[in-house]
Amino acid sequence: SRLVARLAAAAAVALPAPSSRARASWCASLVSSARNRHGAARRAPAGHAPQSRPRAPFSPPSFSAAAMASPGAGGGVPGVPVPAGDATTTLLVITSPEHRDGAQLRRLADTASLAAWAGGRRVDVHVGCSVDDFDASILNDAESSDPVALLWWFGDAKAMGDVLRKPVRSRVAWMHSGSAGVEHLLRETAIKESHAVPLTNARGAFSASLGEWALFSFLWFNKNVQRMRAAQEKGEWMRAPVGMLSGKSVAIVGYGDIGRAVATRSKSMGMRVVGLRRDPSKSEADVESKVVDAVFGLTKDELRRVVKEADFVVLALPHTPETEGLFSRDVIHDAMKPSAVLVNLGRGAVVDEEALIEALRDGKIAGAALDVTRTEPLPEGHPLYAMKNVLLSFHTADLTDDYFDLTLQVFAQHLRAYAGEPVADPLQSGLDALHAPAWNLVDKEKGY
């Protein structure tokens, strides 16, 4: 996951500030509500559960892990648990002390913003860092017909699991992760086993930045930037040939949103791009439109075959039991070309790091650009720090100055879909900076 400690420094990234109000400085419950578009906005007192009318008990519907289609104009997103028109959704936000007073959560608590995002539907927002920060009348209410939604906003995953261990779990209709990675949440049994409740995430919010970083790493190695910097520091004039990206080949292992962002930028430089993913049929449109030259199934044999032909190998895989150590010693030492560069934008655990270090030392591959490593932060004295053919970015390739703004936009987009409102299809809108699906359903068994 994108660690809370790593992100805390960006928590103050400003969004337009909501109207001034008294706010608690600690993780006490904060409540905001937006009425329907024809009614007056209201804010319930902090710590109080929303009032609900007596109706039949709410029962979350069953959901499959099938990808949700983007809506057409004027329609909602298929498969979304849209609440009844007169229902009030209680949104419990699980965050951390660092983020509790951030600009983004202040905006989320603003009635005007919330009303716009929720299509005028009533939403009561309660913010807390632990289960104890939420009012007991909410947590122990299993009878109300009004639904509950959970938003993980860079807090303690256990706190979200603790909420699901309360009677209110029977009313939870939707869960959302502020990060794209969800392995930290799925380690909580209560979250992973909540089969009937859809979990969505921020996939797509950060793909543009990651795509840019991949291209930057290609140029770093291809243009001999490290040698140039070393010569400059020594005060020496250096002339040496530099490479061209045009005509080079890229293999993207894990062709999803991040892979697509890498592909579009690589193609613009005249590179040949081949992708690998579990279900290549999901990328048929990209192949037809020449975003990528070909996409194959992600098998061990195909991985070795595709990697053998690649000048740059980009890993954009999540960490799951199936991907653990997938980029193994035999792939690194035997399949990659000596002139090839490995670029890892996904998860460090996907790579056999010991084998990678050996390959870099022995010249079996030309270099590695690593945004992620198996252990983060790397301990002092780790060999990767001293390797001149390694570019480290310390898990910051997606840590843009508007990181939290982007993930809040994705949540707002999902909230709009939850409210039954039409959401623009990012594939058609051309908004590459926010390339998030209208309803990005996580497969809890697969882990992404």
Side-chain angles (χ1 to χ4, degrees):
S1 64
R2 305 293 178 188
L3 299 177
V4 173
R6 185 175 63 85
L7 298 174
V13 172
L15 280 172
S19 57
S20 60
R21 64 168 66 79
R23 294 188 290 113
S25 60
W26 185 242
C27 288
S29 183
L30 179 150
V31 184
S32 172
S33 174
R35 277 202 182 276
N36 62 50
R37 59 175 59 87
H38 303 296
R42 67 173 173 85
R43 184 177 302 116
H48 286 253
Q51 298 296 316
S52 59
R53 302 177 182 85
R55 284 189 287 270
F58 176 83
S59 177
S62 297
F63 288 85
S64 70
M68 299 300 180
S70 294
V77 183
V80 179
V82 178
D86 59 348
T88 296
T89 297
T90 298
L91 176 63
L92 303 183
V93 182
I94 292 89
T95 189
S96 65
E98 301 98 309
H99 298 280
R100 170 62 183 79
D101 290 325
Q104 292 75 25
L105 291 190
R106 294 201 306 272
R107 188 175 180 189
L108 181 62
D110 181 58
T111 54
S113 296
L114 199 58
W117 296 342
R121 289 179 179 269
R122 292 178 305 208
V123 180
D124 286 336
V125 180
H126 301 251
V127 179
C129 301
S130 74
V131 69
D132 295 331
D133 292 327
F134 299 112
D135 197 279
S137 64
I138 298 174
L139 299 174
N140 295 325
D141 184 359
E143 302 301 323
S144 172
S145 58
D146 284 334
V148 172
L150 306 180
L151 167 61
W152 180 84
W153 191 260
F154 309 99
D156 185 357
K158 182 179 180 299
M160 190 161 166
D162 288 342
V163 171
L164 289 169
R165 284 182 276 272
K166 296 291 185 177
V168 73
R169 66 181 176 274
S170 63
R171 295 170 51 207
V172 175
W174 168 42
M175 301 180 290
H176 183 82
S177 169
S179 65
V182 293
E183 60 264 39
H184 58 293
L185 295 178
L186 296 180
R187 282 194 287 268
E188 279 291 316
T189 304
I191 298 174
K192 186 168 186 176
E193 294 184 354
S194 57
H195 302 298
V197 184
L199 170 65
T200 55
N201 68 352
R203 178 170 64 90
F206 320 114
S207 298
S209 180
L210 291 164
E212 290 177 4
W213 191 88
L215 195 64
F216 158 74
S217 70
F218 298 170
L219 291 166
W220 176 274
F221 285 98
N222 215 38
K223 300 300 183 183
N224 290 327
V225 176
Q226 179 70 16
R227 291 180 61 191
M228 294 176 181
R229 292 292 299 160
Q232 180 179 341
E233 289 174 2
K234 294 177 182 177
E236 298 176 354
W237 186 262
M238 184 204 80
R239 285 178 57 82
V242 295
M244 289 281 290
L245 291 186
S246 181
K248 295 287 197 306
S249 61
V250 184
I252 301 173
V253 185
Y255 186 86
D257 288 285
I258 296 172
R260 190 178 197 275
V262 175
T264 56
R265 288 156 178 78
S266 301
K267 291 293 283 184
S268 72
M269 302 297 287
M271 305 179 80
R272 171 174 167 76
V273 184
V274 175
L276 290 166
R277 67 183 304 171
R278 288 180 59 159
D279 184 0
S281 67
K282 292 182 178 179
S283 299
E284 288 177 354
D286 279 4
V287 175
E288 291 175 3
S289 59
K290 306 299 183 184
V291 172
V292 60
D293 292 289
V295 178
F296 303 101
L298 180 52
T299 65
K300 195 71 172 177
D301 289 343
E302 285 287 13
L303 176 63
R304 290 177 60 87
R305 182 184 68 80
V306 169
V307 163
K308 282 183 178 181
E309 302 173 1
D311 298 299
F312 297 92
V313 179
V314 178
L315 304 182
L317 291 164
H319 180 203
T320 70
E322 289 74 25
T323 63
E324 173 93 28
L326 178 68
F327 216 75
S328 56
R329 176 178 294 273
D330 63 307
V331 177
I332 299 169
H333 284 247
D334 302 331
M336 289 186 71
K337 299 193 296 189
S339 59
V341 173
L342 176 65
V343 180
N344 193 356
L345 297 171
R347 290 293 183 264
V350 170
V351 178
D352 182 335
E353 203 165 89
E354 182 178 326
L356 174 61
I357 291 170
E358 290 179 12
L360 290 165
R361 279 176 173 165
D362 298 342
K364 290 185 177 294
I365 64 173
L370 306 175
D371 184 52
V372 291
T373 51
R374 176 173 285 276
T375 301
E376 296 182 7
L378 283 175
E380 185 178 354
H382 194 283
L384 287 173
Y385 281 126
M387 303 187 102
K388 293 183 179 180
N389 55 349
V390 172
L391 173 63
L392 294 174
S393 59
F394 314 107
H395 214 147
T396 62
D398 66 346
L399 190 58
T400 61
D401 52 8
D402 60 351
Y403 181 100
F404 293 101
D405 295 356
L406 291 174
T407 192
L408 185 64
Q409 286 181 47
V410 174
F411 173 72
Q413 179 171 289
H414 280 72
L415 182 60
R416 187 170 178 82
Y418 171 79
E421 296 291 310
V423 181
D425 186 340
L427 294 178
Q428 303 302 324
S429 67
L431 298 177
D432 194 42
L434 185 64
H435 207 272
W439 186 255
N440 187 45
L441 190 64
V442 171
D443 186 320
K444 298 187 188 105
E445 293 304 316
K446 293 179 181 177
Y448 58 90

